[in-house]
Amino acid sequence: MYTIQAGSYQLELGPFLESSLVDVLDKYKGATKLLIADENTSEACLSYLITNFDALSKAEVVILPVGEENKSLEIVGNVWDILSEYGVTRHDLIINVGGGLVTDMGGFIASCYKRGLDFINVPTSLLGMVDASIGGKTGVNLGDFKNQIGVFNDPVAVYIDTIFLSTLPEEEMLSGYAEMLKHGLITSPELFARVVEQMEEPEEFSEDLLRDCIEVKNGIVISDPLEAGPRKKLNFGHTIGHAIEGFLIYSDQVTHGYAVAIGMILESFLSMKRNLLSQEDFNTIESALLKHYSMPIFSNDDIQAITSLLNNDKKNKHGKILCCLLEGIGECTYDHEISVQEVTEVFLHYKNQQINLN
Ligand SMILES: NC(=O)c1ccc[n+]([C@@H]2O[C@H](COP(=O)([O-])OP(=O)(O)OC[C@H]3O[C@@H](n4cnc5c(N)ncnc54)[C@H](O)[C@@H]3O)[C@@H](O)[C@H]2O)c1
C-alpha cells in the first residue's frame, strides 16, 4: 500500500482490501453511509465495494446521470432533496464512487449539505485517480461555463485501486493520460517522456507512473491549496480546453481529457508564438499529442463561439484572460494575459493546416 499525506487527509494507492477503508468506515458506526455513483460506476464498481465491506452492505445508493451536461446545480438540488428524505445528518458519511464528475459533484453535495458532512473519494476513472479526486476542488458547471460554482473542501480520505480501470473504456483511459501528460509538461521532461512511452504500450499499465503523477498533483496542491500561485500551473491546457469542453457540452460527447489535450496543443503553440517555447520542444509536444488526440475541425462560427467562452473562464482577473504557458517541457509559468484575437489565430492556424492537407 502506498500512502501519501495530502494536506489534512491521506491518500492510499493499492488494493482496497489492504487499505485503511475498513478502519475509517468503523469510525462511522451507526452513521448513515451514502454511496454516490453514476449510471456506469454503479454497475461497474459498486458491487465490489458493497460485497467486500460489511459497513457498506446497508448503504443508501444515489445514482447520478452520466455526462458533463448533468454536472449541474439542478442535479445537485435533486440529490440534496434525497438526502433530506433519507434524514441524512451532518454526522453521516458520503462515499463518492466514480470519475471526476462524481467526485466533483459528490464533494460539493457533501460540502454544502447542512454546512458540510464528511466524504470519501473512491475514484474509478484514470482521470479521477490521477487528478480530480485529489486537491479539494469540488463543484459544478453553470450552463456551458465549466466549474463555476464550487468550494474547496478536502475529503476524509481518498482510496485508489486500479482494479476499477479494467472496465474503463479506452477513450476514458486516453482522457486520463491527457492529465498525466500535463503533469509531465508542467514539471519534468522525464515524466512527460514516461507518460508518452506508457501510451505506446497501454496494456502494461504502470502503477509507479500513476503514483508519480499523483505525487505531482498532490505536491503542487500542498504548496498552494487555494490556488494563489503555483497551483495555477495545473491549469495548463485548461483555459482553451475548458472553452472547447464548454462549447461541446450539449452537442457532442467529448471527454475532459481530450479537450485538455487539444487545449495543451494550442497553448503550446501560443507559447511558441510568443518565443517562450522552442520550435523543437513544440514539435515534440505536438507530435506526441496529435498521435492520440486528433485535432477537431471547427468552423469559423465555432471558433468564435469557443473563444467567446474564454471571457468567462474562472481564472480571469479584472477582465483579463489569464493562461499558463510553457517555457520548455517541464517549465510552466502562469498568469500570462492572452487575447481572444490571439487564440482565434491559433485555431485558424490549425484550420488552415487541415484545409491545406485536404
Ligand atoms: N476537482 C478537480 O481537481 C478536477 C480535476 C480534473 C478534472 N475535474 C473534473 O472531472 C471531470 C472529468 O472526470 P472523468 O474524466 O473521470 O469523467 P467522468 O466522471 O464523467 O467519467 C467518464 C466516464 O467514465 C465512466 N467511468 C468511470 N469509471 C468507470 C469504470 N471504472 N468503469 C466503467 N466506466 C467508468 C463514467 O461513468 C463516465 O461515463 C470533469 O467534470 C472535470 O471538470 C476535476
Side-chain angles (χ1 to χ4, degrees):
M1 184 62 54
Y2 187 77
T3 303
I4 303 174
Q5 194 60 41
S8 64
Y9 63 99
Q10 273 201 347
L11 187 154
E12 291 180 27
L13 170 64
F16 287 127
L17 302 181
E18 294 168 23
S19 75
S20 66
L21 181 55
V22 158
D23 304 325
V24 170
L25 290 174
D26 208 41
K27 289 187 192 149
Y28 292 86
K29 235 181 215 150
T32 299
K33 278 106 188 158
L34 205 110
L35 290 158
I36 299 187
D38 72 21
E39 291 155 326
N40 297 325
T41 61
S42 58
E43 294 276 317
C45 313
L46 278 192
S47 67
Y48 182 85
L49 292 171
I50 291 171
T51 52
N52 280 296
F53 294 91
D54 282 348
L56 297 179
S57 61
K58 293 201 177 76
E60 305 286 357
V61 176
V62 172
I63 300 178
L64 304 177
V66 294
E68 196 60 33
E69 71 279 15
N70 292 310
K71 191 179 171 187
S72 67
L73 272 176
E74 190 191 345
I75 302 288
V76 164
N78 295 343
V79 178
W80 282 328
D81 284 341
I82 294 171
L83 300 198
S84 216
E85 271 168 40
Y86 286 161
V88 171
T89 72
R90 297 174 66 176
H91 309 287
D92 295 326
L93 177 70
I94 286 182
I95 302 130
N96 299 314
V97 183
L101 180 132
V102 171
T103 52
D104 273 16
M105 287 179 81
F108 182 64
I109 288 164
S111 302
C112 298
Y113 182 77
K114 300 202 173 173
R115 297 214 176 88
L117 64 145
D118 288 351
F119 66 100
I120 289 175
N121 282 341
V122 179
T124 62
S125 67
L126 180 58
L127 191 140
M129 293 176 187
V130 81
D131 196 351
S133 68
I134 312 160
K137 280 189 182 177
T138 72
V140 293
N141 304 327
L142 192 62
D144 42 13
F145 297 121
K146 285 275 302 170
N147 301 334
Q148 299 273 308
I149 311 292
V151 294
F152 283 99
N153 191 23
D154 282 344
V156 169
V158 178
Y159 295 100
I160 301 176
D161 187 338
T162 52
I163 192 171
F164 286 148
L165 294 182
S166 61
T167 54
L168 192 70
E170 202 183 318
E171 62 166 352
E172 298 297 343
M173 283 298 289
L174 271 181
S175 179
Y177 282 132
E179 296 284 10
M180 292 169 73
L181 286 166
K182 180 196 77 183
H183 289 151
L185 284 172
I186 64 173
T187 61
S188 149
E190 292 77 30
L191 187 62
F192 176 68
R194 283 170 64 205
V195 181
V196 170
E197 209 174 298
Q198 165 72 64
M199 293 177 78
E200 294 302 311
E201 295 187 21
E203 50 295 327
E204 282 176 44
F205 185 76
S206 163
E207 240 176 64
D208 287 351
L209 180 60
L210 176 65
R211 180 202 60 212
D212 291 348
C213 286
I214 289 171
E215 290 273 19
V216 166
K217 164 98 196 219
N218 186 51
I220 293 177
V221 168
I222 285 181
S223 73
D224 176 22
L226 298 181
E227 204 170 291
R231 184 170 179 170
K232 294 178 185 178
K233 291 180 187 178
L234 290 165
N235 295 322
F236 175 61
H238 285 64
T239 300
I240 299 180
H242 272 168
I244 294 173
E245 196 181 6
F247 172 69
L248 294 172
I249 219 165
Y250 297 110
S251 55
D252 206 348
Q253 281 304 325
V254 64
T255 64
H256 176 75
Y258 173 74
V260 169
I262 301 304
M264 289 194 291
I265 297 171
L266 300 184
E267 290 176 17
S268 299
F269 188 79
L270 207 53
S271 308
M272 182 184 65
K273 273 188 71 181
R274 287 196 175 189
N275 293 323
L276 295 171
L277 184 68
S278 70
Q279 173 87 47
E280 191 188 348
D281 280 351
F282 171 72
N283 291 346
T284 305
I285 297 167
E286 188 193 46
S287 63
L289 270 72
L290 282 181
K291 204 164 180 186
H292 301 281
Y293 311 94
S294 61
M295 185 60 66
I297 301 173
F298 291 118
S299 69
N300 286 357
D301 286 349
D302 293 345
I303 294 171
Q304 202 184 359
I306 293 169
T307 51
S308 71
L309 290 175
L310 293 170
N311 291 314
N312 240 316
D313 189 275
K314 72 176 179 332
K315 300 179 287 298
N316 295 355
K317 198 170 176 187
H318 307 320
K320 293 177 181 165
I321 304 168
L322 298 178
C323 183
C324 295
L325 295 175
L326 291 182
E327 300 194 4
I329 296 179
E331 281 177 55
C332 178
T333 47
Y334 49 87
D335 282 348
H336 292 274
E337 186 180 350
I338 59 168
S339 68
V340 165
Q341 176 62 27
E342 213 176 355
V343 178
T344 303
E345 281 165 19
V346 177
F347 272 104
L348 289 176
H349 162 82
Y350 278 96
K351 187 172 178 223
N352 293 336
Q353 214 177 45
Q354 282 159 341
I355 291 169
N356 291 339
L357 281 175
N358 289 334

